[in-house]
Amino acid sequence: MSIAADTRPTLRLSSPTATRELYLFIAILIVGAGFSFASPYFLTPINLIQTLRAALELAIVSAGMTLVIIMGGIDVSVGGILAVTAIVIGKSYQAGLSSFIVAPIGLTTGTLLGMWNGFLTTKLKVPPIIATLGSMYIFSAIMFIVIGGAWISGLPGTLSPLVNGTVLIIPASALVILVVYTACWVLLRKVPYGRHVYAIGCNETSAKLVGINVGRTKIATYALLGFLAGFAALLYVARLRNVEINIGTTVALEAIAATILGGTSIRGGVGSLLGTLLGVIFIRIIQNGLVLIGVSSLWETVIIGSLLIVVLTADALRNRNSPRV
């Protein structure tokens, strides 16, 4: 009985992020209140629903990014994965394929591109930031070569109800986010895979010594992020029914920012899906509020980048006297 009691605290994996989640929730309330006073349109139902729908792709990608960063990795190419997958989806629709065929094609494309990043980091031993940065340029080049500087438009809206529909007055996009985050939470907290992800992020050498297949877990995690990026691309096409030439350009920065703002440590081993979701909400509220009060969209990136620097600096100062073992 004493052994069981001693091991229970190790299962409280999300507790280190509780304070950050609380602060972020308070920040959301304060910023939301500020924008509601600055613009009469901010708290209107139509604006809130549109903001939710606009957050859908970022929320899905950020869930996968959370797992990768907890593992001690990073993926700056996720915007390229989303873009290439969206183009594949668009071209598949233009070829006359139905959604029942296009959806698996899109999800498979995203998964394979994610596996490519996992292969680079595990088999070729390329540092994650370098591997995914190189992939970002490759994916961006593929996007411009295939799309040729023109939009892919006039795509069918077969899957649009997943984004724009409602289920018993609940926006379908909210239910999609709930399903994705619940599934990722189960992976992290209820199956051995999640314990392996946390263990690798805490200390990769120790994870190997206890028998965890580090390479396989890393590839699986990058593949999962690719799968979720493919799913996000599918919903992007369903929402807008076209593929723009600038698709995915800010997704990586926003997903990393949402994850870090939510309490996931860039050093790995600590993270929370709830915190990430709060980070997504915080970012989208800021972006929506700035648009409503007439501030240039250029300031969105400035604010998000500044927040990321502040949080990373605070984490570095807090961890200066607590080196990893």
Side-chain angles (χ1 to χ4, degrees), residues 79-80 82-84 86-87 143 233 236 243-251:
L82 190 152
V84 171
I87 291 171
M143 178 186 69
Y236 170 91
V243 180
E244 303 174 4
I245 58 175
N246 63 343
I247 176 177
T249 52
T250 62
V251 168

Side-chain angles (χ1 to χ4, degrees), residues 177-260:
I177 293 173
L178 177 63
V179 169
V180 169
Y181 275 74
T182 299
C184 289
W185 180 84
V186 169
L187 285 176
L188 275 178
R189 301 299 300 273
K190 298 299 181 180
V191 298
Y193 163 79
R195 292 192 290 273
H196 296 173
V197 168
Y198 276 104
I200 294 170
C202 287
N203 192 309
E204 183 173 326
T205 301
S206 297
K208 291 179 180 177
L209 291 176
V210 299
I212 295 175
N213 191 324
V214 172
R216 185 172 62 188
T217 302
K218 284 187 173 182
I219 292 176
T221 305
Y222 278 102
L224 177 59
L225 174 55
F227 174 86
L228 291 174
F231 185 40
L234 197 65
L235 296 176
Y236 170 91
V237 173
R239 179 167 65 93
L240 299 179
R241 300 180 63 182
N242 61 53
V243 180
E244 303 174 4
I245 58 175
N246 63 343
I247 176 177
T249 52
T250 62
V251 168
L253 171 63
E254 292 173 349
I256 293 170
T259 303
I260 302 303

Side-chain angles (χ1 to χ4, degrees), residues 9 11 24 80 119 131 152 156 166 192 206 215 223 248:
L11 298 178
L24 191 53
F119 173 80
I152 299 175
T166 58
S206 297

Side-chain angles (χ1 to χ4, degrees), residues 83-84 87 138-148 244-245 247:
V84 171
I87 291 171
I138 293 173
F139 299 155
S140 297
I142 292 173
M143 178 186 69
F144 282 107
I145 290 172
V146 174
I147 204 171
E244 303 174 4
I245 58 175
I247 176 177

Side-chain angles (χ1 to χ4, degrees), residues 29-180:
L29 295 179
I30 293 173
V31 172
F35 282 131
S36 66
F37 282 112
S39 171
Y41 303 105
F42 181 77
L43 287 181
T44 58
I46 188 171
N47 181 63
L48 295 178
I49 291 175
Q50 290 296 337
T51 302
L52 173 65
R53 291 171 179 168
L56 181 57
E57 296 96 39
L58 176 59
I60 293 172
V61 170
S62 297
M65 186 67 75
T66 301
L67 272 65
V68 168
I69 295 181
I70 288 174
M71 190 181 62
I74 198 166
D75 189 345
V76 298
S77 73
V78 70
I81 295 176
L82 190 152
V84 171
T85 304
I87 291 171
V88 170
I89 291 169
K91 292 294 184 180
S92 298
Y93 272 130
Q94 288 183 332
L97 299 179
S98 70
S99 295
F100 295 104
I101 299 176
V102 171
I105 289 175
L107 295 175
T108 301
T109 300
T111 302
L112 291 176
L113 294 178
M115 288 180 66
W116 163 253
N117 285 332
F119 173 80
L120 292 177
T121 59
T122 57
K123 302 303 181 181
L124 300 186
K125 305 299 181 182
V126 182
I129 185 66
I130 302 300
T132 58
L133 185 63
S135 294
M136 180 189 72
Y137 284 111
I138 293 173
F139 299 155
S140 297
I142 292 173
M143 178 186 69
F144 282 107
I145 290 172
V146 174
I147 204 171
W151 287 23
I152 299 175
S153 57
L155 301 177
T158 311
L159 299 177
S160 294
L162 287 175
V163 182
N164 301 321
T166 58
V167 179
L168 300 176
I169 76 170
I170 301 174
S173 50
L175 296 178
V176 171
I177 293 173
L178 177 63
V179 169
V180 169

